[in-house]
């Protein structure tokens, strides 16, 4: 859990002054690999790579709410899937496929639903407990899943097949290197936006909220408002990812909305390292590649391995893969280590 | 009139099933302060043990008697080895037990494939009352649920074990100082909760056909019921389960099943938002 090396780094960091920052180096390396990949990969792997990039975008949205602000959103896929269904309907029923219309529509759908759910769960007179928020989002995810499965207009179990390709100007964006670079550019923009946000004063308030909510509230911040804002923003990013996903895959189906996808994104972020943006990206890439590689030969035991991995990460590396190479102080910044929560000091979930 | 009675019986027996499923979850949540995300998979395991006994040629009732013991023992082992490390934070406990549930579910899926497992009722037939017929097995479920509730209540309120559990709930530090091994208490409570889930799974496998993914539905239903009822007491989860079970069974008579299913959860979430302490507030029994 707490390795001594990172504790040492914690205390020496202020004294030795500037230390070598590892995170920016990792970011540049990941970007370089991302840029070069389509040049060396076969076509079908480029398609797979595009899908992974879209999921990275989705993972970023979850990382913002959980890794940065400590809101356990167990239903993040609701925003991802609703936006996917929304743009699929736009394309199917209204023939709207222009990028300039569908991507903003996806963002808007994700944002509005997140604002509704987040506003209901987080705002109000009595602040909601962490457990209630996670339960509420989980229930929401289950409800959306059930509705999509039962609603004939949305295609029921089968979802909506054969969505026409997205159009940029007169150009049909079909899967391949162009789509790959298009998604990579969007991912980069969103990543930089998130990076700016989390390094700003607002981001500092978020991090403080994650570490010690009561103290931040004591400083006069409207804690629940900050949470609702970041929740809706993350919903917008998930919506963007969902609409890209719908057009890339060419179809949407209920699993996109439901608990399966919602827990998958938790796994990505936990595994890579929550609270660092690049951790979310790395977690998604690693898990998707390993599952792509294993799913052919070990289809049955792969989910079991995934569960065991998740358990091991929670038990021994709560900070994720990224904590193997990046020190604690660099990950969370130099405002001190959170006090270790004591086992008996919790009051039955009403944290 | 007769239709109404039959409907009431249906609702009552469904409510009993929900109470049975929820009781273990509620006891773990109330007494230990963690939500066990693997509870739905414990239900599945209870059903699977019964199914195994049945396919091995043993009488069905024997499998049903064995199920709570097997699942309880497994719960005890898991608590010792893994779950106790999660007590530091409720969220970590949620994620950790979720991972545990995922592993159990996928193992069971590997064993049964995409099958719907089911066993025949140990007591078949129906009881006739005038022109109406009630399924005997559903009556048995109602009776067993009532017995289990009374027994759990007596265990927690009248025995020295129950006293220790309640002491560990009220003030863990003081309980430890008084010589109560709270660790052992937590282990036993978790095992007891798991055993109840195992019993629920065993009893309902003749009624519902169970498949690997069913745990999730039970889990969400259980959570919602526990939160509606209120955490921290014995009566809370039971009351919540009764309300949720009744609604879940009654609404499909009036509106479409899918809408009813979703509506129950939405109503419950709205209720919890405005009354976070639940129907029954306060600690104790």
């Amino acid at each position: 859990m707490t390795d001594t090396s990172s504790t040492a780094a914690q205390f020496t960091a202020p004294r030795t002054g500037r230390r070598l920052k590892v995170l920016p180096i990792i970011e540049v390396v990941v970007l370089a690999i991302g840029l070069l990949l389509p040049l060396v990969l076969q076509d079908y792997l480029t398609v797979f790579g595009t899908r992974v990039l879209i999921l990275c975008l989705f993972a970023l949205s979850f990382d913002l709410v959980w890794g940065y602000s400590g809101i356990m959103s167990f239903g993040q896929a609701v925003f991802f899937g609703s936006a996917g269904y929304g743009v699929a309907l736009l394309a199917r029923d209204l023939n709207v496929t222009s990028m300039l219309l569908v991507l903003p529509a996806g963002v808007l759908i994700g944002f509005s639903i997140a604002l509704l759910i987040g506003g209901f769960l987080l705002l109000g007179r009595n602040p909601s407990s962490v457990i209630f928020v996670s339960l509420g989002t989980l229930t929401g995810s289950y409800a959306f899943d059930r509705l999509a499965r039962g609603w004939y207009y949305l295609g029921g179990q089968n979802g909506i097949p054969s969505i026409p390709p997205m159009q940029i100007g007169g150009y049909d964006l079909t899967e391949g290197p162009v789509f790959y670079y298009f998604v990579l550019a969007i991912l980069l923009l969103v990543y930089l936006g998130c990076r700016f946000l989390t390094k700003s004063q607002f981001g500092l308030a978020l991090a403080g909220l994650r570490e010690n909510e009561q103290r931040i509230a004591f400083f006069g911040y409207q804690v629940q408002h900050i949470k609702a804002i970041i929740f809706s923003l993350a919903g917008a990013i998930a919506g963007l990812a969902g609409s890209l996903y719908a057009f890339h895959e060419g179809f949407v189906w209920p699993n996109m909305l439901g608990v399966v996808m919602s827990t998958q994104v938790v796994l990505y972020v936990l595994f890579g390292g929550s609270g660092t943006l690049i951790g979310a990206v790395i977690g998604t890439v690693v898990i998707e590649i390993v599952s792509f590689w294993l799913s052919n030969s070990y289809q049955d035991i792969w989910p079991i391995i995934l569960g065991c991995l998740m358990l091991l990460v929670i038990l021994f590396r709560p900070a994720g893969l990224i904590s193997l190479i990046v020190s604690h102080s660099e990950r969370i910044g130099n405002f001190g280590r959170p006090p270790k929560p004591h086992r008996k000091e919790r009051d039955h979930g009403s944290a | 009139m007769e239709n109404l009675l039959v409907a009431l019986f249906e609702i009552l027996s469904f409510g009993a099933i929900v109470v049975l499923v929820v009781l273990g979850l509620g006891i773990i949540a109330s007494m230990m302060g963690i939500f066990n995300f693997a509870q739905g998979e414990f239900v599945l395991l209870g059903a699977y043990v019964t199914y195994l006994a049945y396919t091995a040629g043993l009488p069905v009732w024997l499998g049903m008697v064995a199920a709570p013991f097997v699942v309880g023992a497994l719960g005890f082992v898991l608590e010792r080895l893994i779950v106790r490390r999660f007590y530091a934070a409720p969220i970590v406990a949620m994620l950790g037990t979720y991972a545990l549930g995922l592993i159990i579910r996928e193992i069971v899926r590997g064993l049964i494939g995409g099958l719907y497992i089911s066993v025949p009722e140990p007591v078949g037939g129906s009881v006739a009352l005038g022109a109406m017929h009630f399924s005997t097995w559903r009556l048995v479920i109602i009776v067993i649920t009532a017995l289990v509730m009374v027994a759990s209540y007596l265990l927690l309120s009248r025995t020295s074990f129950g006293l220790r559990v309640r002491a560990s709930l009220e003030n863990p530090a003081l309980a430890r100082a008084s010589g109560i091994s709270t660790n052992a208490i937590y282990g036993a409570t978790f095992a007891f909760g798991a055993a109840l889930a195992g019993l629920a799974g065993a009893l309902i496998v003749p009624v519902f056909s169970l498949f690997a993914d069913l745990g999730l539905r039970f889990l969400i239903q259980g959570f919602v019921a526990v939160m509606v009822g209120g955490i921290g007491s014995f009566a809370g989860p039971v009351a919540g389960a009764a309300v949720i079970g009744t609604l879940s069974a009654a609404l499909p008579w009036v509106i479409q099943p899918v809408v009813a299913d979703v509506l129950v959860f939405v109503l419950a979430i709205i209720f919890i938002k405005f009354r976070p302490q639940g129907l029954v507030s306060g600690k104790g029994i």
Side-chain angles (χ1 to χ4, degrees):
Chain A
M1 308 253 167
T2 50
D3 44 331
T4 44
S5 63
S6 71
T7 318
Q10 170 81 34
F11 288 116
T12 51
R15 262 178 265 144
T16 50
R18 284 180 159 272
R19 288 170 58 89
L20 183 66
K21 295 274 187 200
V22 190
L23 272 180
I25 301 174
I26 301 177
E27 289 173 339
V28 172
V29 171
V30 170
L31 177 63
I33 296 175
L35 280 172
L36 295 177
L37 265 187
L39 305 178
V40 291
L41 288 183
Q42 289 141 305
D43 277 353
Y44 80 100
L45 285 176
T46 309
V47 174
F48 168 69
T50 316
R51 186 181 310 141
V52 175
L53 287 185
I54 297 172
L55 291 174
C56 287
L57 200 59
F58 182 37
L60 273 185
S61 83
F62 177 74
D63 195 19
L64 275 187
V65 286
W66 166 237
Y68 279 91
S69 18
I71 309 167
M72 186 68 229
S73 166
F74 233 123
Q76 196 68 10
V78 165
F79 319 122
F80 181 78
S82 312
Y85 267 97
V87 296
L89 289 179
L90 276 180
R92 186 188 73 179
D93 295 348
L94 302 173
N95 275 323
V96 178
T97 51
S98 162
M99 180 202 86
L100 291 175
L101 290 172
V102 289
L103 289 190
V107 171
L108 198 66
I109 294 171
F111 179 80
S112 337
I113 296 180
L115 192 65
L116 275 177
I117 296 183
F120 174 74
L121 290 178
L122 296 164
L123 302 179
R125 255 181 309 155
N126 13 10
S128 307
S129 66
V130 189
I131 293 285
F132 176 62
V133 174
S134 53
L135 174 72
T137 46
L138 180 69
T139 311
S141 173
Y142 178 78
F144 272 73
D145 188 331
R146 286 279 291 170
L147 278 181
R149 277 180 212 283
W151 197 353
Y152 178 70
Y153 176 63
L154 296 180
Q157 292 280 4
N158 303 321
I160 301 173
S162 47
I163 303 168
M166 192 183 344
Q167 286 192 315
I168 307 179
Y171 178 75
D172 274 3
L173 192 60
T174 46
E175 47 183 31
V178 180
F179 208 135
Y180 180 92
Y181 282 113
F182 178 69
V183 175
L184 187 65
I186 292 182
L187 177 62
L188 186 65
L189 279 178
V190 172
Y191 186 90
L192 290 176
C194 291
R195 206 170 183 279
F196 172 76
L197 184 78
T198 52
K199 295 223 186 286
S200 67
Q201 280 296 313
F202 182 73
L204 203 60
L206 282 183
L209 210 144
R210 177 193 60 192
E211 300 297 326
N212 191 334
E213 186 176 326
Q214 279 169 330
R215 198 172 297 170
I216 291 295
F218 182 70
F219 286 155
Y221 285 95
Q222 297 274 11
V223 176
Q224 297 307 114
H225 288 128
I226 296 180
K227 283 185 176 179
I229 292 171
I230 195 73
F231 193 83
S232 321
L233 210 58
I237 297 175
L240 177 63
S243 43
L244 284 171
Y245 196 82
F247 280 107
H248 183 256
E249 301 299 305
F251 70 104
V252 289
W253 75 112
N255 271 10
M256 251 179 102
L257 282 164
V259 182
V260 178
M261 202 69 179
S262 295
T263 45
Q264 199 154 319
V265 75
V266 176
L267 192 59
Y268 292 152
V269 174
L270 264 185
F271 191 67
S274 59
T276 53
L277 296 170
I278 198 69
V281 173
I282 292 177
T284 313
V285 171
V286 171
I287 288 195
E288 279 302 312
I289 289 179
V290 178
S291 69
F292 183 75
W293 176 54
L294 280 181
S295 60
N296 290 323
S297 31
Y298 302 99
Q299 209 154 12
D300 295 337
I301 56 165
W302 167 235
I304 302 176
I305 301 177
L306 214 57
C308 294
L309 269 182
M310 189 171 172
L311 207 55
L312 288 176
V313 169
I314 296 166
L315 283 176
F316 300 110
R317 277 276 155 196
L321 273 188
I322 199 96
S323 69
L324 292 172
I325 37 177
V326 180
S327 70
H328 183 72
S329 64
E330 193 181 340
R331 267 186 289 115
I332 70 163
N334 281 319
F335 39 76
R337 171 181 284 273
K340 217 177 162 190
H342 289 290
R343 172 174 166 177
K344 301 304 165 217
E345 259 64 78
R346 63 210 147 70
D347 53 345
H348 294 287
S350 53
Chain B
M1 180 58 201
E2 285 178 4
N3 277 340
L4 189 69
L5 266 180
V6 171
L8 281 179
F9 175 72
E10 285 280 320
I11 291 168
L12 187 64
S13 67
F14 190 79
I17 290 169
V18 176
V19 169
L20 209 51
V21 170
V22 164
L23 201 57
L25 190 74
I27 286 178
I28 294 177
S30 291
M31 303 296 158
M32 303 166 71
I34 63 161
F35 277 92
N36 175 25
F37 262 57
Q39 194 76 5
E41 276 68 34
F42 287 155
V43 175
L44 179 67
L45 274 180
Y48 185 63
V49 168
T50 314
Y51 173 75
L52 271 188
Y54 170 67
T55 48
L58 297 171
V60 174
W61 64 264
L62 196 64
M64 286 178 175
V65 172
F69 290 100
V70 174
V71 179
L74 183 79
F76 185 75
V77 173
L78 288 177
E79 200 275 345
R80 286 272 132 167
L81 293 180
I82 299 172
V83 179
R84 62 175 42 202
R85 296 161 195 258
F86 298 142
Y87 292 148
I91 291 286
V92 176
M94 275 172 48
L95 293 173
T97 49
Y98 175 80
L100 215 56
L102 176 73
I103 297 169
I104 298 175
R105 184 198 324 151
E106 293 304 328
I107 291 175
V108 173
R109 196 201 305 279
L111 293 171
I112 64 174
L115 286 181
Y116 283 70
I117 56 172
S118 192
V119 301
E121 299 160 348
V123 194
S126 56
V127 176
L129 191 72
M132 296 170 295
H133 293 273
F134 299 108
S135 146
T136 319
W137 183 244
R138 285 188 172 236
L139 279 175
V140 171
I141 290 184
I142 296 176
V143 172
I144 294 182
T145 303
L147 287 179
V148 166
M149 270 169 59
V150 171
S152 308
Y153 174 77
L154 290 179
L155 178 72
L156 289 171
S157 67
R158 294 279 188 274
T159 64
S160 68
F161 169 75
L163 189 67
R164 281 161 214 229
V165 171
R166 282 179 288 140
S168 312
L169 163 74
E170 287 289 341
N171 191 335
L174 191 61
R176 263 198 309 283
S178 324
I180 296 172
S181 164
T182 50
N183 273 339
I185 291 290
Y186 285 136
T189 311
F190 194 83
F192 183 58
L196 286 179
L199 178 67
L203 291 181
I204 64 179
V205 63
V207 182
F208 294 116
S209 300
L210 298 186
F211 57 103
D213 280 327
L214 203 75
L216 186 76
R217 200 195 176 298
F218 283 140
L219 182 79
I220 296 180
Q221 197 166 38
F223 272 0
V224 168
V226 169
M227 298 280 286
V228 164
I231 301 165
S233 66
F234 181 81
V238 173
V243 170
I244 296 291
T246 311
L247 272 180
S248 304
L251 275 179
W253 293 75
V254 204
I255 49 177
Q256 279 192 352
V258 174
V259 182
D261 196 18
V262 171
L263 192 66
V264 171
F265 291 140
V266 171
L267 286 178
I269 290 289
I270 293 175
F271 174 80
I272 302 166
K273 172 72 184 174
F274 294 105
R275 197 177 153 81
Q277 71 274 35
L279 286 168
V280 183
S281 58
K283 286 185 174 182
I285 286 296

